[in-house]
Amino acid sequence: NVEIDNKGKQMVKKIGGVFIEKIEDATRATHVIAACKDVKLKRTPKFMVAISRTSNIVHLDWLVESAKKGEALATQDFLLLDQTEAEEQYDFKLSETMARGDKLRDKGTL
């Protein structure tokens, strides 16, 4: 997914977040920055763990705009819902996966 450099890590801190580096900590994720202009969505182990924790799978622009405001913005306008290339490659529909995860988390079964 998106490689976050030191500038990006500072933006995460600026909005009160914690950057997760280790896959073992991915279950604590509240947001996943999974794509930007030049980087497409990839199913990495860290992504797969984090998507089971949150449906806030967002574009890098969410972090940039949040940092400008000094707080984590609502994710609605930044969600990755149309990732046709990755969806075809990995044979899944991200929006359906996110919705299914939300239902399971609401039931307490995920």
Side-chain angles (χ1 to χ4, degrees), residues 32-94:
V32 178
I33 300 168
C36 65
K37 290 177 182 135
D38 300 328
V39 177
K40 305 290 186 222
L41 178 70
K42 297 178 188 168
R43 282 177 60 173
T44 65
K46 191 162 57 168
F47 174 77
M48 297 307 291
V49 171
I51 198 170
S52 72
R53 173 68 177 97
T54 182
S55 60
N56 291 319
I57 313 301
V58 297
H59 192 278
L60 180 62
D61 290 344
W62 171 82
L63 178 59
V64 172
E65 294 303 316
S66 293
K68 286 178 185 175
K69 297 281 187 182
E71 63 183 0
L73 298 176
T75 58
Q76 284 175 292
D77 295 334
F78 303 96
L79 292 173
L80 298 179
L81 298 175
D82 184 21
Q83 293 295 303
T84 307
E85 186 177 318
E87 290 174 340
E88 289 174 3
Q89 180 179 356
Y90 300 120
D91 191 28
F92 83 116
K93 187 96 171 119
L94 184 58

Side-chain angles (χ1 to χ4, degrees), residues 22-36:
K22 298 178 186 174
I23 191 169
E24 296 84 14
D25 298 328
T27 57
R28 297 184 310 139
T30 58
H31 295 76
V32 178
I33 300 168
C36 65

